[in-house]
Amino acid sequence: MTHAALRPAAIPARAAAKFVDVIMKTALSMAVGGVFSVKGLVLATAYEVVIPIIWQGQTIGKKVMNIRFRRVDGKPIGLGTTLTRNIGDWLFHFLGYFAAAASNRSIADRMAGTEVVFDDNDTNKRTRNERGDKDKKQEGGANTQRNLLLSRRNVVNLRQQQQGKNGLRASLHLRSSL
């Protein structure tokens, strides 16, 4: 994918991803002994540093918001990139969002040589959506036939109830004609 095809992630998407990540880090830290315990801090740091390396620029929050960070030069994300980015984020957190609002790159992004973009990496998304729409249209015909059959059965059942025992023969005759 070319650089021109990547859309910069908007501030609301980045903030929502950060919110999900804070919840995840808090939950993980609480599970191992508390947010301010050594284990909790190590786990929270690993969450921000190691997971993006494994998931190529995404944390759970970024996955939820369908965004990722990537190196501007296109090289793979490594430990140095994630560490630099997180140190910059810790130092210039809110100031970084103001910088990102102006240029779509936070101070941490500038320090690490990264940018946050919408994850349009899956080139099959459009194909799958188009295929899904086509399948829905085909299913629509089958659903219409099934619904028509079900509504005919409902009419038969209502007639049976209205006619009582004597009307059973008539409704069976009606059912066989369908």
Side-chain angles (χ1 to χ4, degrees):
M1 180 172 296
T2 63
H3 179 71
L6 299 174
R7 296 176 297 135
I11 297 295
R14 293 175 74 151
K18 181 63 82 176
F19 179 73
V20 171
D21 287 336
V22 166
I23 290 172
M24 292 301 300
K25 289 187 294 187
T26 302
L28 291 171
S29 297
M30 294 299 288
V32 297
V35 177
F36 298 108
S37 69
V38 173
K39 288 179 185 177
L41 291 172
V42 167
L43 189 60
T45 302
Y47 177 91
E48 288 287 346
V49 174
V50 177
I51 289 178
I53 295 170
I54 296 169
W55 285 350
Q56 297 149 0
Q58 286 187 306
T59 58
I60 293 171
K62 285 180 179 64
K63 277 188 176 288
V64 167
M65 296 309 299
N66 198 34
I67 61 176
R68 75 173 54 246
F69 71 88
R70 62 179 290 279
R71 287 184 50 162
V72 176
D73 61 8
K75 293 180 181 175
I77 294 167
L79 184 61
T81 303
T82 58
L83 279 173
T84 304
R85 192 168 187 281
N86 281 290
I87 290 169
D89 193 35
W90 292 330
L91 293 174
F92 304 108
H93 183 71
F94 290 108
L95 186 59
Y97 279 110
F98 291 118
S103 68
N104 290 324
R105 289 182 67 202
S106 69
I107 294 171
D109 287 330
R110 291 174 191 280
M111 288 173 61
T114 60
E115 63 185 348
V116 181
V117 294
F118 282 101
D119 187 22
D120 295 333
N121 196 18
D122 185 2
T123 56
N124 294 323
K125 281 182 187 174
R126 184 172 294 134
T127 306
R128 275 189 280 156
N129 287 340
E130 290 169 357
R131 199 176 324 129
D133 291 343
K134 185 178 178 184
D135 291 344
K136 286 178 186 174
K137 288 177 186 173
Q138 289 174 350
E139 286 177 9
N143 285 338
T144 303
Q145 291 173 353
R146 186 175 70 234
N147 290 340
L148 184 60
L149 181 60
L150 289 174
S151 64
R152 286 181 182 170
R153 286 183 185 158
N154 288 337
V155 168
V156 169
N157 289 337
L158 286 173
R159 286 188 182 163
Q160 283 178 351
Q161 291 171 0
Q162 291 173 352
Q163 293 174 354
K165 291 183 182 179
N166 293 336
L168 184 59
R169 289 185 198 123
S171 64
L172 288 175
H173 175 71
L174 178 63
R175 184 179 283 172
S176 65
S177 67
L178 295 175

